[in-house]
Amino acid sequence: MDISSVQKLCIHLISSAVQRCRLSEGLCRLSVVLKSSPPIIRVSISDTGTGSCLEEFQDLKCNREGIGTEKWDGLLSIKTTSISDNKIYHYHLNLRGSVSARRLTRLPSIPKNDAKFSGTEVCLSISETIDALLKDIKHYFQKMLILKIPSVAAELVIERGDASGLRCENVFLPNESSPLNFSSSNVERLKSGLEEYVLKHRNSLNNKCDSCFCSREKLKISSGVASSMESHRSPGLIVEAVIAISELSESLCFRSSGNKTEVLHFKDFSPSSVSIASLNALTSIDWRSYGLTLVSAVDQVDHALIEWESLPPYLHIDMVIHCYHKQYPGKYKYQPDRHLIKKGVKLALDDLKEKHTGLLLSAHAVKICSYAPDLASSIAGIILSSNDLKFRSKCSTLLELSQSQAIGKQTVEDRIKEKIISVIETNDRKPEKIKEAAPFLFEDDRPQDLDPADLYLEEHAGGDNVFSFPD
């Protein structure tokens, strides 16, 4: 892996520490310390996860064009130990070394004196400003909160070596309104994490914004999970997609993003760049079947930016996609699968349509619904103008209206319109391949005395007698 900047190197080292914590069976602490002694910054990344295998550092290569020797000498100081080791091993790794055998230098070990613990510390010294590093590292931790990894507590500490001895500490721990159990699944954590992310305006606030989200009904969230079987050719992948839709008709502080959606990406429980497979998956979805018109999907390095056509100004969509091995660490290097990503996103969209009436209706369904008021008015007129009391009583029963008191035309119209729209929405929720004829408005509309074979002949009869017009 080529390292093109100091910021990317630090993020990579932090991500590796997160993975070591995940492999540990207990609670872990991840600490990032930036100690400034101008013009040098000492960066320390330590964790209490499983000990490090040095192979994870051997693939790192320092890009001379990206990181000049005046900024960093290419040296990493690594201290690591496993729970079964009786000493702490200490190494120096020179990433600028051209000969692999000379890159690694083993230093004297430190005895543990029968203590039982595990962990790793990686240190480097660079010529850079605190602010240049701090922005990217804070952004990384803010995104990591979305995953809600249960066993890792992370902290970021800044030590400035000035006369006042100022010490600033930022602790990144989930501030949850509804804490999750340790047994919660990864996708449940991802849903909860995205919900908190949106409620706190992309984690820019410490608590939920009550002015924008005075009611949780304004935020609708759903998920989809797609997976592949592990084989000698495939590592066995899981794709989790979570979509949140905010309906904010009157918002005082919600950041306006126009007709655009940021799609956050994670790979193996760490923020990742956008893959070509992900962009292809997003552009291949039939968004019109969900009432959306895609203009473009663009790679923005750490997220994909989707632009919609004519998205209502009160509507905002947030999305996150996470791809990972079924078992970690995986045996194979892999690229995210386009078909799995597409399937996961579509399952999340279908779940939203299923749970929330009227949400994400296709353009075709919306057009049909626009005729419902006129149709309901005509049917109500027929019912109310009839002098057949038995017929009117039957209609009232089917519409679930009380017959004990006079019912106005508007009430009848509204109830019929609800029935019509309900049928349209029910049919619209079905995938295109299995859509059938729309169900009857009322359960007993279908003739009960016809044989199934007769129904088939009646529905598929051809010729000139398909329609019978009055003389």
Side-chain angles (χ1 to χ4, degrees), residues 52-60:
S52 170
C53 58
L54 294 179
E55 285 79 4
E56 66 181 276
F57 300 103
Q58 296 286 9
D59 290 337
L60 293 177

Side-chain angles (χ1 to χ4, degrees), residues 438-450:
F440 288 93
L441 292 178
F442 311 111
E443 292 181 358
D444 56 353
D445 275 357
R446 177 182 287 273
Q448 301 297 318
D449 55 345
L450 287 178

Side-chain angles (χ1 to χ4, degrees), residues 130-382:
I130 284 279
D131 294 336
L133 289 178
L134 193 57
K135 180 181 177 182
D136 287 348
I137 294 177
K138 287 184 69 174
H139 183 63
Y140 173 89
F141 276 119
Q142 286 170 343
K143 290 179 69 175
M144 282 297 295
L145 290 179
I146 297 175
L147 294 176
K148 288 196 172 183
I149 300 175
S151 58
V152 182
E155 66 175 354
L156 171 61
V157 180
I158 300 96
E159 298 180 5
R160 301 183 187 270
D162 53 17
S164 61
L166 178 63
R167 180 185 177 97
C168 175
E169 182 172 338
N170 294 287
V171 181
F172 289 87
L173 292 173
N175 180 14
E176 304 180 58
S177 55
S178 54
L180 297 172
N181 295 324
F182 270 81
S183 59
S184 298
S185 66
N186 291 327
V187 72
E188 287 174 335
R189 295 186 178 282
L190 192 63
K191 283 178 65 176
S192 179
L194 182 61
E195 181 179 9
E196 296 286 338
Y197 180 78
V198 174
L199 293 176
K200 297 175 183 177
H201 294 328
R202 295 171 180 80
N203 284 340
S204 62
L205 304 176
N206 292 325
N207 296 294
K208 174 177 76 77
C209 179
D210 292 322
S211 62
C212 292
F213 298 99
C214 55
S215 170
R216 286 296 179 100
E217 294 179 358
K218 292 188 175 183
L219 179 62
K220 298 173 175 63
I221 190 165
S222 196
S223 63
V225 180
S227 61
S228 65
M229 297 295 292
E230 185 174 1
S231 67
H232 67 284
R233 292 185 177 182
S234 171
L237 301 178
I238 294 178
V239 173
E240 297 170 349
V242 180
I243 301 174
I245 296 182
S246 311
E247 295 180 298
L248 305 173
S249 55
E250 295 181 2
S251 174
L252 299 177
C253 62
F254 194 78
R255 186 187 67 163
S256 175
S257 56
N259 295 336
K260 297 178 181 178
T261 291
E262 290 183 359
V263 185
L264 303 179
H265 285 72
F266 293 87
K267 182 179 177 181
D268 289 328
F269 296 85
S270 188
S272 73
S273 58
V274 181
S275 66
I276 296 177
S278 181
L279 282 179
N280 290 339
L282 291 172
T283 54
S284 66
I285 292 174
D286 180 15
W287 293 103
R288 289 184 179 274
S289 64
Y290 301 98
L292 300 168
T293 302
L294 179 71
V295 175
S296 64
V298 183
D299 180 5
Q300 298 290 309
V301 182
D302 65 338
H303 67 273
L305 190 64
I306 292 180
E307 184 176 356
W308 309 106
E309 180 181 305
S310 303
L311 191 70
Y314 60 85
L315 203 67
H316 187 77
I317 303 173
D318 289 278
M319 195 182 311
V320 59
I321 296 172
H322 185 197
C323 305
Y324 59 95
H325 284 99
K326 288 184 177 180
Q327 293 185 345
Y328 187 87
K331 301 177 183 178
Y332 315 88
K333 291 184 178 180
Y334 72 97
Q335 292 297 325
D337 184 272
R338 179 178 73 89
H339 299 290
L340 284 182
I341 295 173
K342 181 178 180 179
K343 183 179 179 181
V345 173
K346 283 177 61 65
L347 287 173
L349 290 166
D350 291 338
D351 195 40
L352 277 170
K353 290 182 71 168
E354 184 70 29
K355 291 180 178 178
H356 304 285
T357 302
L359 188 65
L360 296 179
L361 286 179
S362 68
H364 181 64
V366 171
K367 183 178 180 179
I368 297 176
C369 284
S370 67
Y371 299 116
D374 290 339
L375 181 58
S377 179
S378 299
I379 296 174
I382 294 172

Side-chain angles (χ1 to χ4, degrees), residues 56-71:
E56 66 181 276
F57 300 103
Q58 296 286 9
D59 290 337
L60 293 177
K61 296 180 181 179
C62 183
N63 189 323
R64 295 180 183 274
E65 290 74 19
I67 309 178
T69 54
E70 72 280 0
K71 280 195 171 185

